[in-house]
Structures are given as C-alpha cells and as structure tokens.
Amino acid sequence: IMKPGRVVILLTGRQAGKKAIIVRHHDDGKKDKKFSHALVAGIQRYPLKVTKRMSSKRIDKRSKLKPFVKFVNYNHMLPTRYLITSEIDLKQIVTEDKMGT
C-alpha cells in the first residue's frame, strides 16, 4: 500500500492532519532508522482566500504556500485510496541526500 505517489494523511507531530505524498519508501528500514518509514512531501501552509478588494501586497502574502519534506514512520501515516501519477518525478526533486540528519 505504501508506494511512491500514494497520498497519505499525517497523524502526529506538527503536520498532523496535513496531506502528503510518499516520495520514497523503506519497508525494512535503514541503518540509522530501523523501523519502516517513508520520505514524504506535502504542504504545511495552504494559500488563503483572495478577493477583489484586497491590495496586491495582501494578495501576494495570502497566495504563498509553505512546503515540507520529512521522514515519517508508517505508524504515523494514514494511506488514502488516491495515487498521484504525474509527469513530475518527485524522486529527482526530493532526494535523501538533501535531507539533513
């Protein structure tokens, strides 16, 4: 079930309740993380509603979004039935080498 491209809902921590996409999965764990986990990417802060009356400065501020990338234990994720299949290859954009320990 936990395959790359699967949409999951995070259950614990700062991003609890946020939706994310699995980029890489490690069913058997690794040397430093002995538990099954996945590298996920998602949106921490979604854009807010914008109306015509707002100034351009306020529109720019409300249009920003904040992404996040983190390792998450399988026990702290709820997989959904949705699977993202797109032309964008997330494995090339988000790599484990870029993740600081």
Side-chain angles (χ1 to χ4, degrees), residues 53-68:
R53 293 173 28 168
M54 292 182 186
S55 66
S56 61
K57 183 178 177 183
R58 189 164 186 191
I59 289 172
D60 291 341
K61 196 171 188 178
R62 292 175 74 97
S63 299
K64 291 181 183 173
L65 59 90
K66 185 176 180 181
F68 70 89

PDB file of all heavy atoms in Angstrom, residues 53-68:
ATOM      1  N   ARG A  53     -11.203  43.058  -3.519  1.00  0.00           N
ATOM      2  CA  ARG A  53     -10.976  44.275  -2.743  1.00  0.00           C
ATOM      3  C   ARG A  53      -9.591  44.333  -2.115  1.00  0.00           C
ATOM      4  O   ARG A  53      -9.147  45.400  -1.688  1.00  0.00           O
ATOM      5  CB  ARG A  53     -12.016  44.388  -1.633  1.00  0.00           C
ATOM      6  CG  ARG A  53     -13.399  44.610  -2.163  1.00  0.00           C
ATOM      7  CD  ARG A  53     -14.452  44.552  -1.096  1.00  0.00           C
ATOM      8  NE  ARG A  53     -13.972  44.926   0.228  1.00  0.00           N
ATOM      9  CZ  ARG A  53     -14.756  45.161   1.263  1.00  0.00           C
ATOM     10  NH1 ARG A  53     -16.055  45.054   1.127  1.00  0.00           N
ATOM     11  NH2 ARG A  53     -14.262  45.471   2.430  1.00  0.00           N
ATOM     12  N   MET A  54      -8.879  43.246  -2.050  1.00  0.00           N
ATOM     13  CA  MET A  54      -7.582  43.203  -1.378  1.00  0.00           C
ATOM     14  C   MET A  54      -6.503  43.885  -2.217  1.00  0.00           C
ATOM     15  O   MET A  54      -6.541  43.856  -3.443  1.00  0.00           O
ATOM     16  CB  MET A  54      -7.166  41.763  -1.113  1.00  0.00           C
ATOM     17  CG  MET A  54      -8.019  41.083  -0.094  1.00  0.00           C
ATOM     18  SD  MET A  54      -7.432  39.427   0.184  1.00  0.00           S
ATOM     19  CE  MET A  54      -8.703  38.829   1.270  1.00  0.00           C
ATOM     20  N   SER A  55      -5.540  44.486  -1.506  1.00  0.00           N
ATOM     21  CA  SER A  55      -4.415  45.122  -2.196  1.00  0.00           C
ATOM     22  C   SER A  55      -3.489  44.047  -2.754  1.00  0.00           C
ATOM     23  O   SER A  55      -3.536  42.888  -2.349  1.00  0.00           O
ATOM     24  CB  SER A  55      -3.650  46.021  -1.217  1.00  0.00           C
ATOM     25  OG  SER A  55      -3.050  45.238  -0.212  1.00  0.00           O
ATOM     26  N   SER A  56      -2.639  44.453  -3.670  1.00  0.00           N
ATOM     27  CA  SER A  56      -1.735  43.490  -4.294  1.00  0.00           C
ATOM     28  C   SER A  56      -0.736  42.925  -3.276  1.00  0.00           C
ATOM     29  O   SER A  56      -0.345  41.759  -3.357  1.00  0.00           O
ATOM     30  CB  SER A  56      -0.987  44.125  -5.455  1.00  0.00           C
ATOM     31  OG  SER A  56      -0.198  45.200  -5.009  1.00  0.00           O
ATOM     32  N   LYS A  57      -0.345  43.742  -2.304  1.00  0.00           N
ATOM     33  CA  LYS A  57       0.581  43.272  -1.272  1.00  0.00           C
ATOM     34  C   LYS A  57      -0.082  42.185  -0.425  1.00  0.00           C
ATOM     35  O   LYS A  57       0.538  41.162  -0.110  1.00  0.00           O
ATOM     36  CB  LYS A  57       0.982  44.455  -0.391  1.00  0.00           C
ATOM     37  CG  LYS A  57       1.983  44.129   0.676  1.00  0.00           C
ATOM     38  CD  LYS A  57       2.346  45.373   1.472  1.00  0.00           C
ATOM     39  CE  LYS A  57       3.288  45.040   2.595  1.00  0.00           C
ATOM     40  NZ  LYS A  57       3.593  46.222   3.410  1.00  0.00           N
ATOM     41  N   ARG A  58      -1.340  42.393  -0.086  1.00  0.00           N
ATOM     42  CA  ARG A  58      -2.061  41.400   0.724  1.00  0.00           C
ATOM     43  C   ARG A  58      -2.329  40.131  -0.073  1.00  0.00           C
ATOM     44  O   ARG A  58      -2.268  39.017   0.455  1.00  0.00           O
ATOM     45  CB  ARG A  58      -3.364  42.004   1.222  1.00  0.00           C
ATOM     46  CG  ARG A  58      -4.055  41.147   2.229  1.00  0.00           C
ATOM     47  CD  ARG A  58      -5.094  41.904   2.980  1.00  0.00           C
ATOM     48  NE  ARG A  58      -5.639  41.077   4.026  1.00  0.00           N
ATOM     49  CZ  ARG A  58      -6.699  41.381   4.726  1.00  0.00           C
ATOM     50  NH1 ARG A  58      -7.321  42.522   4.511  1.00  0.00           N
ATOM     51  NH2 ARG A  58      -7.130  40.567   5.658  1.00  0.00           N
ATOM     52  N   ILE A  59      -2.615  40.287  -1.376  1.00  0.00           N
ATOM     53  CA  ILE A  59      -2.834  39.122  -2.237  1.00  0.00           C
ATOM     54  C   ILE A  59      -1.565  38.283  -2.325  1.00  0.00           C
ATOM     55  O   ILE A  59      -1.605  37.058  -2.248  1.00  0.00           O
ATOM     56  CB  ILE A  59      -3.316  39.563  -3.640  1.00  0.00           C
ATOM     57  CG1 ILE A  59      -4.741  40.092  -3.551  1.00  0.00           C
ATOM     58  CG2 ILE A  59      -3.241  38.415  -4.629  1.00  0.00           C
ATOM     59  CD1 ILE A  59      -5.246  40.725  -4.825  1.00  0.00           C
ATOM     60  N   ASP A  60      -0.413  38.956  -2.474  1.00  0.00           N
ATOM     61  CA  ASP A  60       0.863  38.236  -2.533  1.00  0.00           C
ATOM     62  C   ASP A  60       1.126  37.469  -1.242  1.00  0.00           C
ATOM     63  O   ASP A  60       1.593  36.327  -1.265  1.00  0.00           O
ATOM     64  CB  ASP A  60       2.021  39.202  -2.793  1.00  0.00           C
ATOM     65  CG  ASP A  60       1.987  39.775  -4.191  1.00  0.00           C
ATOM     66  OD1 ASP A  60       1.307  39.182  -5.059  1.00  0.00           O
ATOM     67  OD2 ASP A  60       2.628  40.817  -4.417  1.00  0.00           O
ATOM     68  N   LYS A  61       0.815  38.098  -0.109  1.00  0.00           N
ATOM     69  CA  LYS A  61       1.050  37.463   1.182  1.00  0.00           C
ATOM     70  C   LYS A  61       0.143  36.255   1.382  1.00  0.00           C
ATOM     71  O   LYS A  61       0.567  35.224   1.894  1.00  0.00           O
ATOM     72  CB  LYS A  61       0.813  38.484   2.292  1.00  0.00           C
ATOM     73  CG  LYS A  61       1.365  38.096   3.617  1.00  0.00           C
ATOM     74  CD  LYS A  61       1.277  39.259   4.580  1.00  0.00           C
ATOM     75  CE  LYS A  61       2.006  38.922   5.847  1.00  0.00           C
ATOM     76  NZ  LYS A  61       1.993  40.028   6.798  1.00  0.00           N
ATOM     77  N   ARG A  62      -1.106  36.357   0.959  1.00  0.00           N
ATOM     78  CA  ARG A  62      -2.064  35.265   1.155  1.00  0.00           C
ATOM     79  C   ARG A  62      -1.909  34.148   0.119  1.00  0.00           C
ATOM     80  O   ARG A  62      -2.447  33.059   0.297  1.00  0.00           O
ATOM     81  CB  ARG A  62      -3.493  35.812   1.105  1.00  0.00           C
ATOM     82  CG  ARG A  62      -3.816  36.699   2.288  1.00  0.00           C
ATOM     83  CD  ARG A  62      -5.177  37.318   2.151  1.00  0.00           C
ATOM     84  NE  ARG A  62      -6.234  36.366   2.382  1.00  0.00           N
ATOM     85  CZ  ARG A  62      -6.878  36.208   3.526  1.00  0.00           C
ATOM     86  NH1 ARG A  62      -6.532  36.949   4.566  1.00  0.00           N
ATOM     87  NH2 ARG A  62      -7.835  35.336   3.651  1.00  0.00           N
ATOM     88  N   SER A  63      -1.194  34.414  -0.963  1.00  0.00           N
ATOM     89  CA  SER A  63      -1.028  33.427  -2.030  1.00  0.00           C
ATOM     90  C   SER A  63       0.160  32.496  -1.816  1.00  0.00           C
ATOM     91  O   SER A  63       0.341  31.546  -2.565  1.00  0.00           O
ATOM     92  CB  SER A  63      -0.868  34.126  -3.379  1.00  0.00           C
ATOM     93  OG  SER A  63      -2.020  34.881  -3.660  1.00  0.00           O
ATOM     94  N   LYS A  64       0.964  32.774  -0.802  1.00  0.00           N
ATOM     95  CA  LYS A  64       2.148  31.954  -0.563  1.00  0.00           C
ATOM     96  C   LYS A  64       1.757  30.617   0.053  1.00  0.00           C
ATOM     97  O   LYS A  64       0.805  30.521   0.817  1.00  0.00           O
ATOM     98  CB  LYS A  64       3.108  32.670   0.383  1.00  0.00           C
ATOM     99  CG  LYS A  64       3.753  33.880  -0.234  1.00  0.00           C
ATOM    100  CD  LYS A  64       4.702  34.524   0.724  1.00  0.00           C
ATOM    101  CE  LYS A  64       5.290  35.784   0.132  1.00  0.00           C
ATOM    102  NZ  LYS A  64       6.086  36.530   1.088  1.00  0.00           N
ATOM    103  N   LEU A  65       2.515  29.588  -0.302  1.00  0.00           N
ATOM    104  CA  LEU A  65       2.351  28.308   0.365  1.00  0.00           C
ATOM    105  C   LEU A  65       3.701  27.849   0.872  1.00  0.00           C
ATOM    106  O   LEU A  65       4.744  28.258   0.376  1.00  0.00           O
ATOM    107  CB  LEU A  65       1.708  27.261  -0.542  1.00  0.00           C
ATOM    108  CG  LEU A  65       2.372  26.886  -1.863  1.00  0.00           C
ATOM    109  CD1 LEU A  65       3.325  25.737  -1.679  1.00  0.00           C
ATOM    110  CD2 LEU A  65       1.297  26.493  -2.822  1.00  0.00           C
ATOM    111  N   LYS A  66       3.661  26.997   1.901  1.00  0.00           N
ATOM    112  CA  LYS A  66       4.892  26.553   2.547  1.00  0.00           C
ATOM    113  C   LYS A  66       4.966  25.037   2.471  1.00  0.00           C
ATOM    114  O   LYS A  66       4.152  24.349   3.076  1.00  0.00           O
ATOM    115  CB  LYS A  66       4.891  27.013   3.996  1.00  0.00           C
ATOM    116  CG  LYS A  66       6.158  26.716   4.743  1.00  0.00           C
ATOM    117  CD  LYS A  66       6.087  27.290   6.137  1.00  0.00           C
ATOM    118  CE  LYS A  66       7.365  27.005   6.897  1.00  0.00           C
ATOM    119  NZ  LYS A  66       7.291  27.528   8.255  1.00  0.00           N
ATOM    120  N   PRO A  67       5.920  24.492   1.733  1.00  0.00           N
ATOM    121  CA  PRO A  67       6.049  23.030   1.625  1.00  0.00           C
ATOM    122  C   PRO A  67       6.862  22.452   2.781  1.00  0.00           C
ATOM    123  O   PRO A  67       7.567  23.163   3.485  1.00  0.00           O
ATOM    124  CB  PRO A  67       6.779  22.848   0.302  1.00  0.00           C
ATOM    125  CG  PRO A  67       7.601  24.082   0.178  1.00  0.00           C
ATOM    126  CD  PRO A  67       6.825  25.181   0.828  1.00  0.00           C
ATOM    127  N   PHE A  68       6.746  21.138   2.969  1.00  0.00           N
ATOM    128  CA  PHE A  68       7.588  20.441   3.933  1.00  0.00           C
ATOM    129  C   PHE A  68       8.001  19.094   3.364  1.00  0.00           C
ATOM    130  O   PHE A  68       7.325  18.525   2.516  1.00  0.00           O
ATOM    131  CB  PHE A  68       6.886  20.253   5.286  1.00  0.00           C
ATOM    132  CG  PHE A  68       5.740  19.277   5.268  1.00  0.00           C
ATOM    133  CD1 PHE A  68       5.946  17.927   5.497  1.00  0.00           C
ATOM    134  CD2 PHE A  68       4.451  19.711   5.034  1.00  0.00           C
ATOM    135  CE1 PHE A  68       4.888  17.038   5.487  1.00  0.00           C
ATOM    136  CE2 PHE A  68       3.390  18.831   5.026  1.00  0.00           C
ATOM    137  CZ  PHE A  68       3.614  17.487   5.244  1.00  0.00           C
TER     138      PHE A  68
END
